[in-house]
Amino acid sequence: MPHSDAHRIGATADAPANASILHADCDHVDVLIVGAGISGIGAAYHLTTQCPDTRFVVLEAQDGFGGTWRTHRYPGIRSDSDLYTFGYRFKPWTGKPIATAAEIRDYLGEVIDEHDLARHIRYGHRIVSASWSSEDACWTIEARRGEGGETARFTANFLWMCQGYYRHSEGYTPEWPGMAEFKGRIVHPQTWPDDLDVTGKRVIVIGSGATAATLVPSVAPTAAHVTVLQRSPTYFIPGRNKIEIADTLRELGVSEDWIHEIVRRKILFDQATFTRRSMTEPEVVKEELLAGVRAHLGPDADLDPHFTPSYRPWRQRIAFVPDGDLFKAIASGKASVVTDEIERFTEQGIRLKSGETLEADVIVTATGFNLNVLGDIAFSIDGKPLDFADTVTYRGMMFTGVPNMAWVFGYFRASWTLRADLVADFVCRLLSHMKAQGYRSVVPALRPEDRDMPLLPWIDPENFNPGYLMRGMHLLPKRGDKPEWQHSQDYWTEKDQLPAIDLADSAFVFTP
């Protein structure tokens, strides 16, 4: 993509915008998308359809598309959201609602092929810095390219951050005493070794979230035994990996486009009801969730302490367990659950604070992510380093004092992609507005009525408190106590609010 061929917002071929910073080794684009995962591919699609004259490039650090679904390669890797809502609104999903990573990558590949997006994507480009110049109203992006690490430079009018929320290079593993003494293998699911075979081995999986719920039933049939070691229990929703209304509509010959939309609406309606009930009648919902577990473990199963969380439902993400496979593995005796805390690792396994010792050949630390704040990129504005913790979020997608940039951060209680689509609509509308009005830049700013607004952590820990957020909250932007200055995490409100955002609001400061 030679810079001389780039079309620029608010520019003409004779007098290109930002000409003072264009160099022979720079590609210039209207929009630079960071990441070729589900958010970045969606952003690229929406640009081609809603802003068809926009020149853009997608920079991806990995050697192929897929993001999360490329990084994670542990046995059994699958979605914990249904693909009718985790898939895009514009491309029907036709398989089972809970899908494998391979099926999701195939789906993303079809989107790339069907909309000729591959020509916009540059793989093996890890962004190291992004610098904004107010004089030129432009971002300069430097990336390390390929194994050699040579520098590639781009300039862009607008940055669209679609890189996700965790560090792909390493997962979060706590430091326990004695880890170096263990004679077996310690692995994190995020970096699962290609040569690891657990057949006939004793496996301990530390953690009981969605990763453990996926991994355990996958390896339990061939392992000698799998022990789930958890500090505290987690909620799960076991159920059939099928949606009856979808099957019925297919039998009736209804088109896949209609099925996709109808099933999405049905799922979102049910999710809204479940979320509301989790807040208004948490004890009832708790008993319903535990009844689902008991249905697979047997009527006499004692659910305390291993399966009865102390917190109300939905304070942490609830994973769907298709066909109850995790609980079937436990009921079969191939897997078991221990609720305790780790005192230290030993040569043979793990000694618990209760005094019990668990022996193992392989220990899997399914202990979560390391939060990644906007790609671990060194940002600067007019030569000054940018600390996002000093900013206030505008609806969880822009930041005070940061020009011409949008961020995609999805939902905790609904599918990530629902918000990716909503943010894409907003960004495309914003770009079209700027082009029509001849604006060079836009930056969110607190209005006079917001000056005394209390500034709070990015998410209310009483509302949602997964470990990776609690560990990294100090790195995230602040939120206010008004809807404009927070990420509500409520799709059912935002689906109406985000399309209605008034671009004439004084929260947006445009530069002609």
Side-chain angles (χ1 to χ4, degrees), residues 394-395 397 422 426 429 483-484 486 488 490-502:
Y394 178 82
R395 295 190 182 273
M397 57 184 178
L422 288 176
F426 169 76
R429 184 160 67 92
E484 296 89 344
Q486 54 188 246
S488 74
D490 183 354
Y491 165 75
W492 299 274
T493 298
E494 287 199 332
K495 70 181 178 60
D496 299 320
Q497 286 184 345
L498 296 193
I501 289 173
D502 182 4

Side-chain angles (χ1 to χ4, degrees), residues 45 158 367 376 387 424 478 496:
Y45 163 83
F158 197 96
T367 44
D376 289 334
D387 184 347
K478 301 298 187 292
D496 299 320

Side-chain angles (χ1 to χ4, degrees), residues 295-317:
H296 290 283
L297 294 182
D300 299 326
D302 185 2
L303 302 188
D304 194 17
H306 301 319
F307 303 101
T308 306
S310 59
Y311 56 91
R312 66 164 173 77
W314 261 142
R315 283 190 68 185
Q316 297 187 20
R317 189 169 175 85

Side-chain angles (χ1 to χ4, degrees), residues 34 59-62 122-129 141-146 149-152 154 169 375-377:
V34 180
L59 298 188
E60 168 56 51
Q62 300 192 77
R122 306 289 185 268
Y123 297 115
H125 282 63
R126 182 176 62 85
I127 299 175
V128 295
S129 67
I141 296 93
E142 291 195 353
R144 296 283 184 264
R145 183 168 51 199
E150 61 267 26
T151 299
F154 299 80
S169 59
D376 289 334
I377 296 165

